[in-house]
Amino acid sequence: MTVTSEADIAEQVKDAAAKGTAIRITGGGTRRNIGNHVDADASLSTSELSGVTLYEPGALTLVAKSGTPLSEVDALLAKEGQMLAFEPTDHRKLSGSNGATTLGGIVATNASGPRRIQAGACRDALLGVRFVDGEGTIVKNGGRVMKNVTGYDLVKLMSGAFGTLGVLTEVSFKVLPKPEATTTLIVEGLDMSDAQAVMSDALKTPYDVSGAAYDARKRQTFIRLEGFPQSVRYRANMLAKELKPSGPVDMLDGASIWQNITAFAFVDAVDGDIWQLSTQPTDGPKLIRTLMEQADVMPLMLDWSGGLVTLATPPGTDIRGIWRAHSQISGEACCIRGHADYFRQSASPLAALEAGLRKRFDPKGVLNPGVLG
C-alpha cells in the first residue's frame, strides 16, 4: 500500500497493531536485498510522501519528507554548491531495481559512502526525524540544529534501524559545501595487507584524506583529497612523496572511481552472492584471509581504510559459521545480493539492547519483523 500522508501511515500502523499483523516498510524499492526476508501480511510504501519542506543554504540545513528521491535533493543542493557529505550509497545495481533511492531508505539503512571516514556516517549528518512508531503514534525528535539531547537519541537510533523502530516520515540533514577540487592518488600493485597499511598511514597524516579504498582485483589503492584547488595540489604532492616508497603513484581527479564505489559498479560481471562486512580497519585483510582459507571467497573492494569489505561467494555460501569460529574478529555482515541472512558477530549485548528498543517502540512486532534477525 502506498500512502500520501503521515496521518495515513499512523492509521495503517495502528490498525495493524490492533490486528496483530506485520507490515513490510519500503521506499523506492532499491534496497530490498538488504537484511533478512520479512514475512509480512502487507507492505507500506512511503514513496509518495515526497518533497523538500525546508532548505536554508545559509544555515546548511535541509528538511524533506522520507519518500523524497535522492536525485531531487542532490540537484537542489548542487545549485547552491552544497551536498550530503556522507556520500549516500546506491544499491540499484545490486537489487536490479529501476526505482528511485529515497531519503528514508538512506536513513533507515545508514547508507554511507567512502567519505564516511572524514565526514561521518548518515546518522552523523541527521539533525531530526519524524516517524510513526509500532503503535501508530507520531513521534518527533531533534530539530534543525545539531544539539545534545537527553534520554533516547532517536535521531541516531532511527538511522540503521531498518524500519524496525518506526516508519520515517520526515528527516532533517546538515549539509556541507561541495569541494571545489578533488585529487585521487592511486598506488599500484599492493596486496591487501600493504594496501590497508598505506590507507591507515595516509589517514594519520595532516592532509585531510576524504576517501581510502582498495580494489582487490586490480590491486589498486585509492586515496582522495578534496578542498580548495591550491590546498589540494599542495597536500596531494606532499602525500604522494610519502606514499612513493609503497609503490608507483598516479594522480588524477578520480571522480568516477568514487562514483563507481558508491554505485557498486565494481560488481559488474561478478556472479554469486555479494556480501558486505564491517569490522575494524586493521582486521579487514585478516578477516578476508580467514574466509578465503575455508570458503570460495573473492574479495572485491575494501573501503573505509579496510573497515568495510565487499566480497563475492558462490550462491548460497554461508560465511557466518566460519566467522563465528574466529570470535576475535568482531563486526557485522550482510548479504546485499543473494539470499543469506543479516549477521552480526560477537554482539550479544548489543543484540539484547536492540531487542529491548524494538519492544519499547514496536511492542507487537508490527514493523519489518525479523529484518535484523
Side-chain angles (χ1 to χ4, degrees), residues 115-162:
R115 203 179 284 111
R116 177 176 182 167
I117 60 172
Q118 179 201 54
C122 171
R123 62 168 53 96
D124 299 306
L126 271 177
L127 299 174
V129 292
R130 288 179 66 98
F131 64 93
V132 176
D133 72 10
E135 296 181 296
T137 303
I138 297 172
V139 181
K140 178 183 178 181
N141 189 247
R144 298 175 184 173
V145 295
M146 193 70 76
K147 62 180 180 181
N148 294 323
V149 296
T150 57
Y152 290 122
D153 186 351
L154 300 183
V155 177
K156 298 293 191 292
L157 285 176
M158 292 298 292
S159 184
F162 286 65

Side-chain angles (χ1 to χ4, degrees), residues 70-92:
L70 174 63
S71 58
E72 179 181 323
V73 171
D74 281 344
L76 178 64
L77 294 175
K79 292 178 181 178
E80 298 292 335
Q82 296 180 341
M83 65 179 182
L84 293 173
F86 58 91
E87 209 167 4
T89 51
D90 182 349
H91 286 77
R92 285 178 292 184

Side-chain angles (χ1 to χ4, degrees), residues 104-349:
I106 290 169
V107 172
T109 57
N110 194 34
S112 312
R115 203 179 284 111
R116 177 176 182 167
I117 60 172
Q118 179 201 54
C122 171
R123 62 168 53 96
D124 299 306
L126 271 177
L127 299 174
V129 292
R130 288 179 66 98
F131 64 93
V132 176
D133 72 10
E135 296 181 296
T137 303
I138 297 172
V139 181
K140 178 183 178 181
N141 189 247
R144 298 175 184 173
V145 295
M146 193 70 76
K147 62 180 180 181
N148 294 323
V149 296
T150 57
Y152 290 122
D153 186 351
L154 300 183
V155 177
K156 298 293 191 292
L157 285 176
M158 292 298 292
S159 184
F162 286 65
T164 59
L165 302 181
V167 185
L168 285 162
T169 58
E170 185 179 81
V171 292
S172 307
F173 283 108
K174 174 183 67 175
V175 300
L176 290 178
K178 293 185 73 171
E180 293 182 11
T182 299
T183 291
T184 299
L185 306 182
I186 304 178
V187 185
E188 303 281 357
L190 303 181
D191 64 20
M192 284 184 293
S193 295
D194 288 342
Q196 196 286 316
V198 165
M199 291 188 287
S200 180
D201 288 344
L203 286 169
K204 294 174 185 176
T205 69
Y207 304 130
D208 202 16
V209 171
S210 68
Y214 174 69
D215 187 323
R217 290 185 293 171
K218 295 181 180 178
R219 293 169 65 91
Q220 291 180 317
T221 308
F222 308 121
I223 308 293
R224 181 175 61 185
L225 303 170
E226 297 176 305
F228 297 112
Q230 185 174 354
S231 170
V232 170
R233 284 195 298 271
Y234 170 78
R235 288 183 284 129
N237 286 328
M238 293 298 291
L239 185 54
K241 292 177 183 177
E242 296 188 19
L243 296 182
K244 275 184 180 178
S246 300
V249 179
D250 294 325
M251 198 181 302
L252 67 161
D253 175 274
S256 62
I257 292 171
W258 305 99
Q259 291 167 2
N260 288 341
I261 292 174
T262 58
F264 293 91
F266 58 90
V267 306
D268 282 346
V270 175
D271 296 325
D273 295 344
I274 304 294
W275 291 77
Q276 277 203 316
L277 292 63
S278 59
T279 186
Q280 297 181 45
T282 53
D283 281 345
K286 185 196 310 181
L287 176 57
I288 292 174
R289 287 195 300 270
T290 297
L291 295 172
M292 290 179 70
E293 287 171 359
Q294 302 181 52
D296 186 3
V297 169
M298 179 171 66
L300 301 174
M301 185 70 63
L302 277 69
D303 199 359
W304 306 347
S305 186
L308 183 67
V309 176
T310 306
L311 52 81
T313 66
T317 301
D318 189 347
I319 65 173
R320 296 171 296 171
I322 302 171
W323 196 351
R324 285 192 183 103
H326 297 269
S327 58
Q328 76 277 13
I329 305 176
S330 62
E332 301 178 10
C334 186
C335 187
I336 55 178
R337 190 182 75 190
H339 302 288
D341 291 339
Y342 180 91
F343 164 64
R344 178 177 285 122
Q345 165 75 332
S346 301
S348 54

